[in-house]
Amino acid sequence: MKVEFAPLSVPLQRRLQTASVVQWIFSFLGLAQCCTAAFITLFFTRFWLVSALYAAWWLIDREKPSKGGRRIHVLRNCIVWRYMRDYFPITLVKTAELDPQQNYLVGFHPHGVLAVGAFLNFCTEASGFSILFPGITPHLMMLSLWFRIPFFRDYVMSGGLIPSDKESASYVLQKPEGGNLLAIIVGGAQEALDARPGSFTLLLKNRKGFVRLAIQHGTPLVPAFSFGENDVFDQVKNPKGSWLRRIQHWLQQIMGISLPLFHARGIFQYSFGLIPYRQPICTVVGKPIPVQKKHRPSEEEVDQVHQKYLNELSKLFEKHKAKYNVPEDSHLEFI
């Protein structure tokens, strides 16, 4: 006998979707601090052994993030991520096949305020990555700072996140069996300071490290543009040269992370809060750009591949922008 469950009501679905987004924002804005506080506090309680044992484990396991991390498929497939997907909603679009016998380096644009599309598409199965790209294992690079936080490091590794350093990238790209995809949010934390609705400015003109990395490993480059990524939050005006931008730049140099002053809607009202707007995000993955392997590429060779990448990214944007309500006169701007 088959038991059928009644579908959830629309109001309940929307509440669950909002709750999933709230927990995700908390996980990156507050969980790291909570993990640090818990680790230290436990040392001064009768449960001090928990922190002591974890410290020993942390020492033994310290190289794991740079060795591909430790993904947990149960967490990647958690239903929470599907509710989060439906909140916006978020979709992943494939425009070309990826050969599971090869490794790939994906440039993700734009960063947005919190890189929502990058996280959900590459660190969870909510948008069906494994179905769209069978035989491909995704890895997303994240600031190394987050992997120094006790407990939190294990949480971010479970989704396939790895530190954003050359050692971690090389470990993934040089795997001989292939089938690995390394996603890099090229604009990084600095680009987040320019993330606002209607903006198509990418910090990419002088970002060539990822191109050099691809050439050194002979890894095809794949451009990916996430339409709507900049539309889910508003940001306090911070034009270059303003006192706010100078403070943000100074803090970024000290801590390694940018601190955009963003806002959107609240949990129970739509006027003000830190919950993102319900704006659709669609990440379009382009076709691979073949790269000839060379251990020590010249600046000219790097520039040539970099320019080809910019051209392919622009073509991808122009080809798909009309589908996602981008004005005809809007074009990518590289700074």
Side-chain angles (χ1 to χ4, degrees):
M1 179 179 178
K2 184 178 179 180
V3 179
E4 295 186 359
F5 295 92
L8 297 176
S9 64
V10 173
L12 179 56
Q13 287 184 35
R14 294 180 77 87
R15 284 196 289 270
L16 289 172
Q17 291 166 7
T18 303
S20 68
V21 173
V22 170
Q23 70 83 26
W24 178 76
I25 291 176
F26 168 75
S27 70
F28 280 94
L29 298 184
L31 185 58
Q33 292 85 341
C34 291
C35 286
T36 302
F39 178 75
I40 296 173
T41 302
L42 285 174
F43 272 115
F44 300 94
T45 69
R46 60 178 178 174
F47 302 107
W48 61 271
L49 188 58
V50 174
S51 287
L53 290 174
Y54 184 84
W57 162 251
W58 191 2
L59 182 64
I60 297 171
D61 195 55
R62 64 185 180 280
E63 299 296 331
K64 191 62 178 179
S66 60
K67 302 299 181 183
R70 184 188 301 105
R71 66 185 60 235
I72 300 176
H73 293 287
V74 173
L75 293 181
R76 282 180 58 88
N77 286 279
C78 182
I79 193 173
V80 170
W81 308 129
R82 295 199 290 274
Y83 283 122
M84 179 178 169
R85 172 201 63 196
D86 295 336
Y87 173 88
F88 295 95
I90 295 176
T91 54
L92 181 64
V93 175
K94 177 179 71 173
T95 62
E97 296 292 338
L98 298 185
D99 183 1
Q101 301 300 317
Q102 280 192 303
N103 296 318
Y104 296 92
L105 196 160
V106 171
F108 182 93
H109 316 273
H111 183 286
V113 172
L114 294 178
V116 183
F119 173 81
L120 194 129
N121 286 316
F122 298 119
C123 298
T124 80
E125 288 296 332
S127 57
F129 181 92
S130 295
I131 297 174
L132 285 173
F133 302 102
I136 303 293
T137 301
H139 303 266
L140 178 64
M141 302 200 84
M142 185 182 191
L143 285 174
S144 302
L145 167 70
W146 301 109
F147 295 88
R148 300 171 191 155
I149 300 174
F151 304 119
F152 187 76
R153 67 188 286 276
D154 300 282
Y155 169 69
V156 295
M157 278 197 294
S158 69
L161 286 156
I162 62 174
S164 55
D165 55 53
K166 188 175 181 179
E167 179 186 0
S168 302
S170 296
Y171 181 86
V172 172
L173 296 179
Q174 67 187 7
K175 286 188 173 182
E177 68 274 16
N180 291 279
L181 181 149
L182 178 66
I184 300 177
I185 308 177
V186 183
Q190 189 175 344
E191 189 177 83
L193 298 177
D194 291 314
R196 47 181 45 87
S199 173
F200 300 105
T201 301
L202 303 181
L203 187 62
L204 187 56
K205 191 174 183 179
N206 296 310
R207 294 284 175 108
K208 302 176 182 179
F210 73 106
V211 174
R212 184 181 299 277
L213 189 65
I215 296 175
Q216 290 173 342
H217 293 279
T219 306
L221 282 165
V222 182
F225 193 87
S226 195
F227 292 91
E229 191 74 44
N230 284 339
D231 298 335
V232 296
F233 288 107
D234 288 315
Q235 188 172 169
V236 175
K237 291 183 178 180
N238 58 343
K240 293 181 179 179
S242 64
W243 64 269
L244 176 57
R245 189 59 168 255
R246 288 196 295 268
I247 292 175
Q248 289 173 324
H249 182 66
W250 176 67
L251 291 174
Q252 182 186 344
Q253 289 181 318
I254 295 175
M255 300 185 296
I257 57 175
S258 63
L259 295 172
L261 297 181
F262 62 91
H263 58 90
R265 49 157 288 194
I267 299 177
F268 304 110
Q269 43 77 32
Y270 293 87
S271 301
F272 188 84
L274 297 180
I275 309 302
Y277 296 121
R278 286 181 179 267
Q279 294 290 338
I281 297 174
C282 184
T283 301
V284 182
V285 180
K287 62 181 181 180
I289 303 170
V291 175
Q292 185 176 359
K293 184 176 182 179
K294 190 170 185 179
H295 184 60
R296 292 183 179 178
S298 65
E299 290 297 326
E300 183 179 356
E301 290 169 325
V302 172
D303 289 343
Q304 289 177 351
V305 177
H306 182 261
Q307 187 58 52
K308 187 174 183 179
Y309 179 86
L310 295 184
N311 294 339
E312 290 298 324
L313 179 60
S314 295
K315 289 179 183 178
L316 182 71
F317 176 81
E318 295 295 332
K319 182 178 179 180
H320 294 274
K321 67 180 184 181
K323 301 175 186 176
Y324 305 109
N325 301 317
V326 176
E328 183 63 30
D329 58 351
S330 294
H331 308 283
L332 292 183
E333 179 185 0
F334 302 121
I335 59 173

